[in-house]
Amino acid sequence: MCGIFGVVTNQDIPIGKIALEGIKRLEYRGYDSVGIVSQFNGKLFIKKDAGKIDEVHKKLKLDDFPGKVALAHTRWATHGAPTKINSHPHTNCTNEIAVVHNGIIENFMTLKKELIQNGHNFRSDTDTEVIPHLIEEKMKEGFDLKDSIIEILKICKGSYGLAILHVNMPDTIIVVRKESPLVIGIEPGKTTYCASDI
Ligand code: GLU
């Protein structure tokens, strides 16, 4: 179990403060690590570490992020110790795709071995990290982000709530779920949220 919170807006609002406030309300779902990513000017900005949200916030200023789209995650580790490197979000080799995940990718070891053989660099011990690398592979084949996600989930076994950002898509979060909870909240024409709990 873990907490996912995402926000994408066209309003002039402090994206980091909203991401932090949202993920704090989900801390009951997982509290060994926390991470936030935002997208701004074609770059991903990531802060993450092991520890309770308030402790990590004191060190890293989790309310300070540029841009209009952000994802936040509070982890309850299933694969890989609760460390900074295993904290979510996880990214692909080129740091263009960021993923937060609630659940377990059961066949991640097989997928990881294949990806390593194809030259991918893994940084964490998590099951989750296969997701951004698999998406990268599909995008290389010419699929767009959404279709890549649809394709790779055909080969991923297990449960997931996933929220995904791409460096070239400043107004988009892609979410998908199977067994794990994920809800979407819409302020029409302004701001859209996703979260693992209403
Ligand atoms: N399986 C993932 C991990 O261990 C996600 C765990 C969770 O749902 O908090 O990092």
Side-chain angles (χ1 to χ4, degrees):
M1 195 159 102
C2 78
I4 289 174
F5 182 81
V7 52
V8 54
T9 188
N10 57 15
Q11 305 292 295
D12 198 11
I13 51 180
I15 205 86
K17 281 202 169 79
I18 294 167
L20 179 60
E21 179 59 31
I23 205 62
K24 267 190 183 171
R25 293 190 196 183
L26 296 168
E27 193 169 24
Y28 76 90
R29 295 182 60 85
Y31 36 81
D32 64 42
S33 335
V34 58
I36 298 183
V37 55
S38 80
Q39 191 278 6
F40 182 62
N41 268 352
K43 263 191 177 172
L44 294 181
F45 292 79
I46 295 178
K47 296 179 188 178
K48 62 182 191 176
D49 209 343
K52 297 247 167 71
I53 296 176
D54 282 342
E55 294 161 12
V56 177
H57 175 44
K58 270 189 203 137
K59 270 200 294 192
L60 300 180
K61 291 202 174 127
L62 291 176
D63 58 351
D64 185 19
F65 280 86
K68 296 200 178 285
V69 56
L71 300 177
H73 186 268
T74 178
R75 180 170 186 238
W76 185 246
T78 66
H79 294 75
T83 59
K84 176 174 178 156
I85 214 87
N86 288 334
S87 308
H88 299 215
H90 292 287
T91 57
N92 66 315
C93 296
T94 55
N95 289 320
E96 290 175 314
I97 301 158
V99 173
V100 294
H101 171 216
N102 172 22
I104 296 174
I105 306 300
E106 283 159 12
N107 58 338
F108 82 100
M109 261 307 176
T110 318
L111 298 168
K112 186 170 175 172
K113 276 186 196 144
E114 282 169 16
L115 285 159
I116 289 171
Q117 273 166 10
N118 286 338
H120 286 261
N121 266 326
F122 275 73
R123 285 153 289 199
S124 80
D125 300 321
T126 63
D127 52 332
T128 304
E129 198 186 342
V130 295
I131 301 280
H133 294 283
L134 286 169
I135 297 172
E136 179 181 353
E137 281 289 300
K138 277 289 156 201
M139 290 187 84
K140 272 191 218 154
E141 288 175 28
F143 289 88
D144 68 12
L145 180 63
K146 189 182 84 179
D147 287 342
S148 298
I149 294 166
I150 292 170
E151 286 300 311
I152 66 133
L153 291 176
K154 292 176 185 167
I155 56 164
C156 291
K157 298 201 172 84
S159 59
Y160 43 80
L162 291 166
I164 298 166
L165 280 189
H166 192 281
V167 85
N168 295 331
M169 298 171 79
D171 56 359
T172 303
I173 296 172
I174 297 195
V175 291
V176 57
R177 68 175 283 265
K178 182 181 152 208
E179 290 163 31
S180 304
L182 201 60
V183 294
I184 297 175
I186 301 171
E187 267 185 88
K190 293 184 178 169
T191 306
T192 300
Y193 306 89
C194 64
S196 335
D197 188 331
I198 200 156

Short mmCIF file of all heavy atoms in Angstrom, two decimals, residues 27-58:
data_model
loop_
_atom_site.label_atom_id
_atom_site.label_comp_id
_atom_site.label_asym_id
_atom_site.label_seq_id
_atom_site.Cartn_x
_atom_site.Cartn_y
_atom_site.Cartn_z
N GLU A 27 -0.52 10.02 3.93
CA GLU A 27 0.65 9.42 4.60
C GLU A 27 0.26 8.16 5.39
O GLU A 27 1.09 7.27 5.57
CB GLU A 27 1.35 10.42 5.53
CG GLU A 27 2.73 9.92 5.97
CD GLU A 27 3.58 10.96 6.67
OE1 GLU A 27 3.02 11.91 7.23
OE2 GLU A 27 4.82 10.79 6.66
N TYR A 28 -1.00 8.04 5.79
CA TYR A 28 -1.43 6.84 6.50
C TYR A 28 -1.25 5.59 5.64
O TYR A 28 -1.18 4.47 6.15
CB TYR A 28 -2.90 6.97 6.93
CG TYR A 28 -3.87 6.78 5.78
CD1 TYR A 28 -4.36 5.52 5.47
CD2 TYR A 28 -4.23 7.85 4.97
CE1 TYR A 28 -5.20 5.33 4.39
CE2 TYR A 28 -5.07 7.67 3.89
CZ TYR A 28 -5.55 6.40 3.61
OH TYR A 28 -6.36 6.21 2.52
N ARG A 29 -1.15 5.75 4.30
CA ARG A 29 -1.06 4.60 3.40
C ARG A 29 0.37 4.06 3.27
O ARG A 29 0.57 2.96 2.74
CB ARG A 29 -1.55 4.99 2.00
CG ARG A 29 -3.02 5.35 1.96
CD ARG A 29 -3.43 5.66 0.54
NE ARG A 29 -3.22 4.55 -0.35
CZ ARG A 29 -4.07 3.55 -0.54
NH1 ARG A 29 -5.22 3.54 0.09
NH2 ARG A 29 -3.79 2.57 -1.38
N GLY A 30 1.34 4.87 3.68
CA GLY A 30 2.73 4.43 3.53
C GLY A 30 3.60 5.54 4.05
O GLY A 30 3.34 6.69 3.78
N TYR A 31 4.61 5.16 4.84
CA TYR A 31 5.35 6.25 5.47
C TYR A 31 6.82 5.93 5.64
O TYR A 31 7.45 6.38 6.56
CB TYR A 31 4.71 6.65 6.81
CG TYR A 31 4.15 5.48 7.58
CD1 TYR A 31 4.98 4.67 8.34
CD2 TYR A 31 2.79 5.18 7.51
CE1 TYR A 31 4.46 3.59 9.02
CE2 TYR A 31 2.27 4.09 8.20
CZ TYR A 31 3.11 3.30 8.95
OH TYR A 31 2.60 2.22 9.62
N ASP A 32 7.41 5.12 4.73
CA ASP A 32 8.85 4.91 4.87
C ASP A 32 9.67 5.84 3.98
O ASP A 32 10.83 6.06 4.23
CB ASP A 32 9.25 3.43 4.70
CG ASP A 32 8.97 2.86 3.31
OD1 ASP A 32 9.24 3.56 2.33
OD2 ASP A 32 8.51 1.71 3.24
N SER A 33 9.05 6.41 2.94
CA SER A 33 9.77 7.34 2.06
C SER A 33 8.76 8.25 1.38
O SER A 33 7.58 7.92 1.29
CB SER A 33 10.51 6.62 0.94
OG SER A 33 10.83 5.31 1.26
N VAL A 34 9.27 9.35 0.83
CA VAL A 34 8.40 10.28 0.11
C VAL A 34 9.16 10.88 -1.06
O VAL A 34 10.39 11.03 -1.01
CB VAL A 34 7.86 11.37 1.07
CG1 VAL A 34 8.99 12.14 1.72
CG2 VAL A 34 6.90 12.33 0.36
N GLY A 35 8.44 11.21 -2.12
CA GLY A 35 9.07 11.86 -3.26
C GLY A 35 8.07 12.69 -4.04
O GLY A 35 6.88 12.39 -4.04
N ILE A 36 8.58 13.75 -4.66
CA ILE A 36 7.74 14.59 -5.52
C ILE A 36 8.53 14.90 -6.79
O ILE A 36 9.74 15.08 -6.77
CB ILE A 36 7.34 15.92 -4.81
CG1 ILE A 36 6.50 15.61 -3.56
CG2 ILE A 36 6.56 16.84 -5.77
CD1 ILE A 36 5.98 16.82 -2.80
N VAL A 37 7.81 14.93 -7.93
CA VAL A 37 8.40 15.34 -9.21
C VAL A 37 7.50 16.38 -9.84
O VAL A 37 6.28 16.26 -9.78
CB VAL A 37 8.61 14.13 -10.16
CG1 VAL A 37 7.33 13.34 -10.39
CG2 VAL A 37 9.19 14.57 -11.51
N SER A 38 8.11 17.40 -10.45
CA SER A 38 7.33 18.33 -11.28
C SER A 38 8.03 18.45 -12.63
O SER A 38 9.19 18.02 -12.79
CB SER A 38 7.18 19.70 -10.63
OG SER A 38 8.34 20.47 -10.80
N GLN A 39 7.29 19.00 -13.58
CA GLN A 39 7.83 19.20 -14.92
C GLN A 39 7.80 20.69 -15.21
O GLN A 39 6.79 21.35 -14.95
CB GLN A 39 6.93 18.43 -15.92
CG GLN A 39 7.47 18.30 -17.31
CD GLN A 39 7.21 19.54 -18.18
OE1 GLN A 39 6.73 20.56 -17.72
NE2 GLN A 39 7.55 19.45 -19.43
N PHE A 40 8.90 21.23 -15.72
CA PHE A 40 8.93 22.66 -16.05
C PHE A 40 9.99 22.88 -17.13
O PHE A 40 11.11 22.38 -17.01
CB PHE A 40 9.26 23.49 -14.80
CG PHE A 40 9.27 24.98 -15.04
CD1 PHE A 40 8.12 25.63 -15.45
CD2 PHE A 40 10.44 25.71 -14.86
CE1 PHE A 40 8.12 27.00 -15.68
CE2 PHE A 40 10.45 27.07 -15.09
CZ PHE A 40 9.30 27.72 -15.49
N ASN A 41 9.62 23.62 -18.18
CA ASN A 41 10.58 23.97 -19.24
C ASN A 41 11.36 22.78 -19.77
O ASN A 41 12.59 22.83 -19.89
CB ASN A 41 11.57 25.01 -18.71
CG ASN A 41 11.09 26.41 -18.98
OD1 ASN A 41 10.09 26.61 -19.69
ND2 ASN A 41 11.80 27.39 -18.44
N GLY A 42 10.67 21.68 -20.03
CA GLY A 42 11.32 20.53 -20.61
C GLY A 42 12.27 19.80 -19.69
O GLY A 42 13.20 19.11 -20.15
N LYS A 43 12.07 19.94 -18.37
CA LYS A 43 12.93 19.24 -17.40
C LYS A 43 12.08 18.64 -16.30
O LYS A 43 11.04 19.20 -15.95
CB LYS A 43 13.87 20.25 -16.73
CG LYS A 43 15.24 20.36 -17.30
CD LYS A 43 16.03 21.19 -16.32
CE LYS A 43 17.47 21.35 -16.71
NZ LYS A 43 18.13 22.31 -15.81
N LEU A 44 12.54 17.53 -15.71
CA LEU A 44 11.90 17.00 -14.53
C LEU A 44 12.66 17.46 -13.29
O LEU A 44 13.90 17.45 -13.28
CB LEU A 44 11.89 15.46 -14.56
CG LEU A 44 11.07 14.78 -15.64
CD1 LEU A 44 11.16 13.26 -15.49
CD2 LEU A 44 9.62 15.24 -15.63
N PHE A 45 11.94 17.87 -12.26
CA PHE A 45 12.53 18.27 -10.98
C PHE A 45 12.09 17.24 -9.94
O PHE A 45 10.89 17.06 -9.73
CB PHE A 45 12.06 19.66 -10.59
CG PHE A 45 12.60 20.73 -11.51
CD1 PHE A 45 12.01 20.93 -12.76
CD2 PHE A 45 13.71 21.48 -11.16
CE1 PHE A 45 12.51 21.88 -13.63
CE2 PHE A 45 14.21 22.43 -12.04
CZ PHE A 45 13.62 22.63 -13.28
N ILE A 46 13.06 16.55 -9.33
CA ILE A 46 12.72 15.47 -8.41
C ILE A 46 13.39 15.70 -7.05
O ILE A 46 14.57 16.03 -6.99
CB ILE A 46 13.20 14.10 -8.97
CG1 ILE A 46 12.43 13.77 -10.25
CG2 ILE A 46 13.03 12.99 -7.94
CD1 ILE A 46 12.83 12.47 -10.93
N LYS A 47 12.59 15.52 -5.99
CA LYS A 47 13.15 15.47 -4.64
C LYS A 47 12.56 14.25 -3.97
O LYS A 47 11.33 14.06 -4.00
CB LYS A 47 12.76 16.71 -3.84
CG LYS A 47 13.31 18.01 -4.40
CD LYS A 47 12.86 19.19 -3.55
CE LYS A 47 13.25 20.50 -4.21
NZ LYS A 47 12.79 21.68 -3.44
N LYS A 48 13.42 13.40 -3.36
CA LYS A 48 12.90 12.21 -2.71
C LYS A 48 13.89 11.72 -1.66
O LYS A 48 15.09 11.97 -1.77
CB LYS A 48 12.60 11.12 -3.74
CG LYS A 48 13.81 10.60 -4.52
CD LYS A 48 13.34 9.56 -5.53
CE LYS A 48 14.49 8.81 -6.15
NZ LYS A 48 14.03 7.73 -7.05
N ASP A 49 13.37 11.03 -0.65
CA ASP A 49 14.25 10.45 0.36
C ASP A 49 13.45 9.51 1.26
O ASP A 49 12.22 9.58 1.29
CB ASP A 49 14.90 11.53 1.22
CG ASP A 49 16.27 11.11 1.74
OD1 ASP A 49 16.57 9.90 1.73
OD2 ASP A 49 17.03 11.99 2.16
N ALA A 50 14.18 8.68 1.99
CA ALA A 50 13.53 7.84 3.00
C ALA A 50 13.22 8.70 4.21
O ALA A 50 13.92 9.67 4.50
CB ALA A 50 14.47 6.70 3.38
N GLY A 51 12.16 8.37 4.93
CA GLY A 51 11.79 9.11 6.13
C GLY A 51 10.35 9.55 6.07
O GLY A 51 9.69 9.43 5.04
N LYS A 52 9.87 10.10 7.19
CA LYS A 52 8.51 10.64 7.24
C LYS A 52 8.45 11.93 6.43
O LYS A 52 9.46 12.62 6.24
CB LYS A 52 8.15 10.93 8.70
CG LYS A 52 8.13 9.69 9.58
CD LYS A 52 6.69 9.42 10.04
CE LYS A 52 6.53 8.06 10.65
NZ LYS A 52 7.16 7.90 11.96
N ILE A 53 7.25 12.28 5.98
CA ILE A 53 7.12 13.44 5.10
C ILE A 53 7.68 14.71 5.76
O ILE A 53 8.45 15.45 5.13
CB ILE A 53 5.64 13.65 4.69
CG1 ILE A 53 5.16 12.46 3.85
CG2 ILE A 53 5.49 14.96 3.90
CD1 ILE A 53 3.69 12.51 3.45
N ASP A 54 7.35 14.94 7.03
CA ASP A 54 7.80 16.18 7.69
C ASP A 54 9.33 16.23 7.79
O ASP A 54 9.93 17.29 7.59
CB ASP A 54 7.19 16.32 9.09
CG ASP A 54 5.74 16.80 8.97
OD1 ASP A 54 5.36 17.33 7.91
OD2 ASP A 54 4.99 16.63 9.96
N GLU A 55 9.95 15.07 8.08
CA GLU A 55 11.43 15.04 8.19
C GLU A 55 12.06 15.36 6.83
O GLU A 55 13.00 16.15 6.72
CB GLU A 55 11.91 13.64 8.59
CG GLU A 55 11.53 13.20 9.99
CD GLU A 55 11.64 11.67 10.17
OE1 GLU A 55 12.23 10.97 9.29
OE2 GLU A 55 11.11 11.19 11.18
N VAL A 56 11.54 14.72 5.77
CA VAL A 56 12.13 14.92 4.44
C VAL A 56 11.86 16.36 3.97
O VAL A 56 12.72 17.01 3.37
CB VAL A 56 11.57 13.89 3.43
CG1 VAL A 56 12.12 14.13 2.04
CG2 VAL A 56 11.92 12.47 3.89
N HIS A 57 10.68 16.88 4.29
CA HIS A 57 10.34 18.27 3.93
C HIS A 57 11.34 19.25 4.57
O HIS A 57 11.79 20.20 3.92
CB HIS A 57 8.90 18.56 4.37
CG HIS A 57 8.49 19.98 4.17
ND1 HIS A 57 8.78 20.69 3.02
CD2 HIS A 57 7.81 20.84 4.97
CE1 HIS A 57 8.30 21.91 3.12
NE2 HIS A 57 7.71 22.04 4.29
N LYS A 58 11.72 19.00 5.83
CA LYS A 58 12.68 19.89 6.52
C LYS A 58 14.01 19.93 5.76
O LYS A 58 14.65 20.96 5.63
CB LYS A 58 12.92 19.42 7.95
CG LYS A 58 11.95 20.05 8.92
CD LYS A 58 12.34 19.75 10.36
CE LYS A 58 11.08 19.90 11.23
NZ LYS A 58 10.93 18.83 12.22
#
